[in-house]
Every structure is written in C-alpha cells, then in structure tokens.
Amino acid sequence: MTPFLMGVNYWPRRKAMYWWADFDLGEVREEFAMIRDIHLTHVRLFLLWESFQPAPDQIDSKALDHLCQVCDVAADLGLKLQPTFFTGHMSGPNWAPDWLLGPGPRLPYERPLITTRRRSGANATLRNIYTDPFVIEAEKRQLTAVCGTLADHPALWGWSLGNEPDLFC
C-alpha cells in the first residue's frame, strides 16, 4: 500500500514573507526538523517574487544560493520540496516586485499591493502576468535559472507556478 502524502505550506514562523530577505539557515533547519518530527514528508515553499527577481532581467544569486541551502537541509532530513514560483498573492495582500507595477489606477477589485521595499501607492496596478510579453520574458528567466540550478536536486518533488494566481491578477 502506498502511504498517503502529508505535507505543509511553509513560511518561517518568525519571518513569514520576509524570510528570503532575512535568511537564517538555522531557523529553517530547526523548523524542517519539527516538520519531519510530526511525520510530514512534503513541504511547499514560496519564492517571494521580488526576493528572487529584483529586476525583470536579474535573478538574485544570493536568494538562489539560499534556496539551494534549503533544499540541502530538506534532503538531509528526508523531506521533499515543492517550490512555488511567482508568489504574488499571500495572506490577503498581493506581494509584487516594484518592476511588476504598471501605470494606471488600481481597479476597485484589486487587493492591496505590498513590496518589501516599499508600499505601493494608490496609483499602482499590476501588469498582466499572463499576457504581458515583458512579464512573460521575466517569468521565463526565473524559471530557467531556478529549474536549471535545482533540476537534479534529491529534495525536489515538484514545482508550482504560483499561489492563488486568480487573486493576484
């Protein structure tokens, strides 16, 4: 009989969305050990878009290195990971890199926009992550960099393209 997969969505309990900007491998190791100790086997983690891609043509090598370290810890502890790209919507507001914000007023149904660098103003709206060629090229750049770096990592179980994209754009 195949065991039922049990996992968790992961944000560090002390930092949440700010963990990539304030990375602490010891914290990840401690919390991943807790996850393992309660017999969960799979962890879905979120690549905050602006932490991994601060500019449309730039992948943050430090964030990518931190992700590799997280994968190594998971492998050491026997956990399987599912990184989630393009994390825009999370816990109510939309988290977006500054470069993803376009001109024009926010529409009444758009959720509050937050970046870790600044709170966006009322006159900022999101570029379309599905149809805007500028954004699609940036997305390809991130997918290529992250997947290329981690393609054969033993901790990887799967990939997710986004979290609640219908609430993001």
Side-chain angles (χ1 to χ4, degrees):
M1 177 188 252
T2 303
F4 189 76
L5 299 179
M6 295 291 291
V8 64
N9 284 343
Y10 176 73
W11 289 104
R13 64 182 180 241
R14 293 179 195 98
K15 295 179 185 155
M17 282 65 90
Y18 300 96
W19 75 303
W20 296 110
D22 187 17
F23 187 75
D24 180 348
L25 187 60
E27 177 181 45
V28 173
R29 186 179 312 281
E30 174 190 341
E31 293 182 352
F32 275 19
M34 292 169 66
I35 290 168
R36 180 208 54 208
D37 291 347
I38 61 172
H39 305 288
L40 300 177
T41 57
H42 290 69
V43 178
R44 181 174 177 231
L45 52 91
F46 304 90
L47 311 183
L48 192 63
W49 202 339
E50 70 178 341
S51 293
F52 281 80
Q53 196 168 17
D57 60 349
Q58 176 191 0
I59 302 303
D60 189 297
S61 59
K62 193 173 179 181
L64 193 52
D65 182 56
H66 290 155
L67 177 59
C68 291
Q69 293 174 47
V70 169
C71 289
D72 291 344
V73 167
D76 290 346
L77 295 170
L79 297 173
K80 295 295 184 182
L81 298 180
Q82 180 183 16
T84 301
F85 292 95
F86 315 123
T87 301
H89 184 77
M90 184 59 62
S91 301
N94 284 332
W95 297 77
D98 288 345
W99 60 264
L100 193 59
L101 303 178
R106 279 188 32 227
L107 300 172
Y109 58 82
E110 287 185 310
R111 298 187 181 266
L113 291 169
I114 296 176
T115 75
T116 59
R117 291 172 181 80
R118 68 173 174 87
R119 281 191 174 260
S120 58
N123 291 330
T125 191
L126 284 173
R127 293 175 180 268
N128 191 303
I129 63 171
Y130 305 112
T131 61
D132 187 318
F134 169 78
V135 179
I136 292 169
E137 285 305 309
E139 291 167 337
K140 287 180 189 177
R141 187 169 287 110
Q142 188 181 141
L143 289 166
T144 299
V146 174
C147 293
T149 299
L150 297 175
D152 297 321
H153 199 285
L156 284 178
W157 175 67
W159 302 101
S160 176
L161 288 178
N163 182 63
E164 300 177 349
D166 58 315
L167 298 175
F168 187 47
C169 179

